[in-house]
Amino acid sequence: MTKRPFITNLFGVFVMIIISWRCAEDPLETDLSHLNLSVDTLSISNIVGSSYWVSPNIGTNDRLYLGSKNGIDVPVSFIGITDHFYWDYYFDSTVTFDSLHFMLFSNDSELTVSSTPNLYFSPDSHFHETKSSYKDFSGFSTASWTNLGQPNISINTDTSGNFTGTVLTWDVLSLVETLTDTLDSTLVRSFAIDLANSDTNFIKLYSREATSNGEKDPQIKLFFHQEIIIDADSTYRDTLHASLYAYGDVSIINPGDIANNPNRLGISNGLGLRSLFTISFDSLTLPEGSLIRKANLVLPFDTTTSPESFAIIFEPIEEIIDSLITDSTNAIFDADPYSGVGYPYRIARTMDEASYTISIKSFLQNITLGNVSNIGFKISSYEKNDPFEFLEFYLDDETLSPKLEIIYVKN
């Protein structure tokens, strides 16, 4: 009865020895000279760049903004508060709503009452988080909205007296009957903020994308109590609270007058500015049967005007939507006419000291194989970047122009 485990263990040791021998650090010596393979390099500097504009939408940014900065204006921001079963508690005879507070959060320790925004409410739908742009709000007014005025401000600190955040709070209990209306099938809990005073230049607040746990999301804090009957002579009061979070929010950003300067090549979320690159590369660029070992696109940028940290999105173009280009009579497109190929060729990159280095080996290899077409590449600003910052690529400087560097193996 003891032989089978012993044999099994012996066999396992033998297998491990074989695996260890096959995985030894010393590589097998094999003569591949008969294959006539050689390594070669190719540098392509014939890269043409241009800029285009798309109506800016920053609904996925982690901040809400109001005011003007770097020539970009944000006249209004919108917040929508979610539907929730807690609203139904209002119709429970044992429940009493004690308070409703609309709350926004900031990391600005110098906010004062005079620099805070006005809050407005409307039961109608007014915005789309990822589609709304300034073009949808020409002549927009809050005249028909309920004006809730300016907030109370709380500057919070920890036990050591260190600043932890600023909270803006509005009492919205006066809206309770509207917010809990079950007969209005089209009810949308829309809120808007704008600057109360013209002498305030710029403020920023947390959006619903700012924190993973929702702690600093725009929200309504509900405080209520419930009378629970224990017996005929006594009741128990249970005091509760709940947070009802934003389902969407967006700052409406107006890029102002755009100077279409063909000598500037850059990207900016606030301007809606994106860049196109055309690279001379097709299935005949490399010798037939070549295997690309490395292919890096190097994009130098202007270090004198660039932000300290700025991520970009690089994506090959799959389709040019001619109808969007033909129908656009303005310098700014309503939607991006250059449709990207997406995953796995859509690449996010952070900056090096003075350039971005983007590996496009896989995409170029597929071009040589005839699997994809090269109709250009587009670059946009990463959605979490500061929308008021602008990154400029070099275009006319021969020593700092974009270049594609390829290392390949050929027969």
Side-chain angles (χ1 to χ4, degrees):
M1 297 297 292
T2 61
K3 288 184 178 182
R4 288 182 61 86
F6 174 77
I7 293 173
T8 301
N9 291 338
L10 183 60
F11 177 75
V13 172
F14 174 75
V15 170
M16 289 300 296
I17 292 173
I18 294 297
I19 292 174
S20 299
W21 174 75
R22 290 176 60 88
C23 297
E25 291 184 3
D26 295 333
L28 295 175
E29 297 294 336
T30 304
D31 184 6
L32 300 177
S33 60
H34 65 284
L35 297 178
N36 296 320
L37 297 178
S38 62
V39 177
D40 207 344
T41 62
L42 176 65
S43 181
I44 298 175
S45 58
N46 184 17
I47 300 175
V48 179
S50 61
S51 295
Y52 69 104
W53 288 261
V54 177
S55 295
N57 174 283
I58 56 171
T60 54
N61 195 269
D62 58 10
R63 294 291 188 273
L64 293 172
Y65 304 93
L66 287 174
S68 297
K69 183 178 179 181
N70 296 341
I72 300 172
D73 184 45
V74 185
V76 63
S77 291
F78 294 102
I79 303 106
I81 296 296
T82 187
D83 194 6
H84 201 282
F85 66 81
Y86 277 117
W87 295 121
D88 296 334
Y89 281 25
Y90 183 69
F91 302 99
D92 186 332
S93 60
T94 66
V95 174
T96 300
F97 281 22
D98 299 310
S99 65
L100 278 176
H101 291 155
F102 185 92
M103 304 174 72
L104 295 175
F105 301 83
S106 172
N107 63 350
D108 185 350
S109 61
E110 297 182 357
L111 274 179
T112 62
V113 172
S114 63
S115 62
T116 57
N118 280 322
L119 178 69
Y120 303 86
F121 169 76
S122 172
D124 300 319
S125 177
H126 291 272
F127 74 98
H128 190 289
E129 185 177 43
T130 59
K131 294 181 179 179
S132 291
S133 77
Y134 74 102
K135 289 185 176 182
D136 302 316
F137 294 93
S138 177
F140 172 77
S141 171
T142 54
S144 62
W145 294 53
T146 300
N147 188 347
L148 297 160
Q150 292 179 270
N152 292 319
I153 296 181
S154 299
I155 306 296
N156 294 337
T157 57
D158 59 20
T159 54
S160 300
N162 298 315
F163 171 74
T164 59
T166 300
V167 185
L168 285 65
T169 304
W170 287 264
D171 183 351
V172 295
L173 188 59
S174 61
L175 301 175
V176 64
E177 291 187 2
T178 302
L179 293 172
T180 58
D181 191 348
T182 58
L183 299 178
D184 186 353
S185 60
T186 62
L187 173 64
V188 179
R189 299 170 183 85
S190 297
F191 290 84
I193 53 174
D194 66 11
L195 288 179
N197 297 306
S198 58
D199 58 350
T200 300
N201 294 325
F202 182 77
I203 63 171
K204 59 182 179 179
L205 308 163
Y206 286 109
S207 77
R208 75 185 189 99
E209 283 80 13
T211 54
S212 58
N213 60 3
E215 178 186 3
K216 295 184 178 181
D217 287 12
Q219 59 190 263
I220 287 182
K221 183 80 77 174
L222 165 61
F223 293 87
F224 60 97
H225 67 269
Q226 185 174 23
E227 301 288 348
I228 301 173
I229 299 175
I230 298 176
D231 52 41
D233 298 321
S234 63
T235 60
Y236 170 74
R237 172 175 287 193
D238 191 12
T239 302
L240 305 166
H241 65 84
S243 292
L244 309 176
Y245 297 101
Y247 67 82
D249 52 27
V250 63
S251 295
I252 302 303
I253 191 163
N254 189 332
D257 295 330
I258 291 179
N260 191 349
N261 185 341
N263 294 321
R264 299 193 74 189
L265 181 67
I267 53 176
S268 167
N269 281 335
L271 293 174
L273 179 62
R274 303 176 185 186
S275 289
L276 291 175
F277 288 93
T278 303
I279 302 173
S280 297
F281 187 95
D282 58 30
S283 59
L284 301 178
T285 302
L286 300 178
E288 185 177 357
S290 296
L291 179 64
I292 300 175
R293 294 183 59 182
K294 188 175 183 180
N296 287 336
L297 177 63
V298 180
L299 299 172
F301 58 84
D302 187 348
T303 57
T304 63
T305 61
S306 65
E308 292 183 1
S309 176
F310 199 89
I312 67 172
I313 301 295
F314 174 89
E315 189 171 14
I317 297 170
E318 182 178 45
E319 179 186 6
I320 300 175
I321 307 172
D322 293 331
S323 61
L324 291 175
I325 297 176
T326 302
D327 295 342
S328 178
T329 57
N330 300 317
I332 305 179
F333 299 111
D334 290 332
D336 195 332
Y338 302 100
S339 176
V341 300
Y343 180 84
Y345 301 122
R346 186 178 188 269
I347 301 170
R349 280 292 177 270
T350 54
M351 59 173 57
D352 299 324
E353 289 186 3
S355 66
Y356 293 89
T357 301
I358 305 164
S359 174
I360 55 175
K361 165 188 168 182
S362 238
F363 190 75
L364 294 187
Q365 190 70 71
N366 273 289
I367 291 176
T368 67
L369 297 174
N371 296 331
V372 296
S373 299
N374 177 17
I375 58 176
F377 305 85
K378 67 175 181 177
I379 297 180
S380 56
S381 171
Y382 181 59
E383 60 190 13
K384 303 301 183 185
N385 287 340
D386 186 330
F388 302 92
E389 293 181 338
F390 168 81
L391 183 96
E392 183 173 2
F393 297 110
Y394 284 105
L395 183 62
D396 295 330
D397 190 324
E398 293 183 0
T399 61
L400 294 173
S401 294
K403 60 183 176 179
L404 175 60
E405 298 174 333
I406 301 173
I407 300 175
Y408 63 98
V409 178
K410 65 179 180 178
N411 289 324

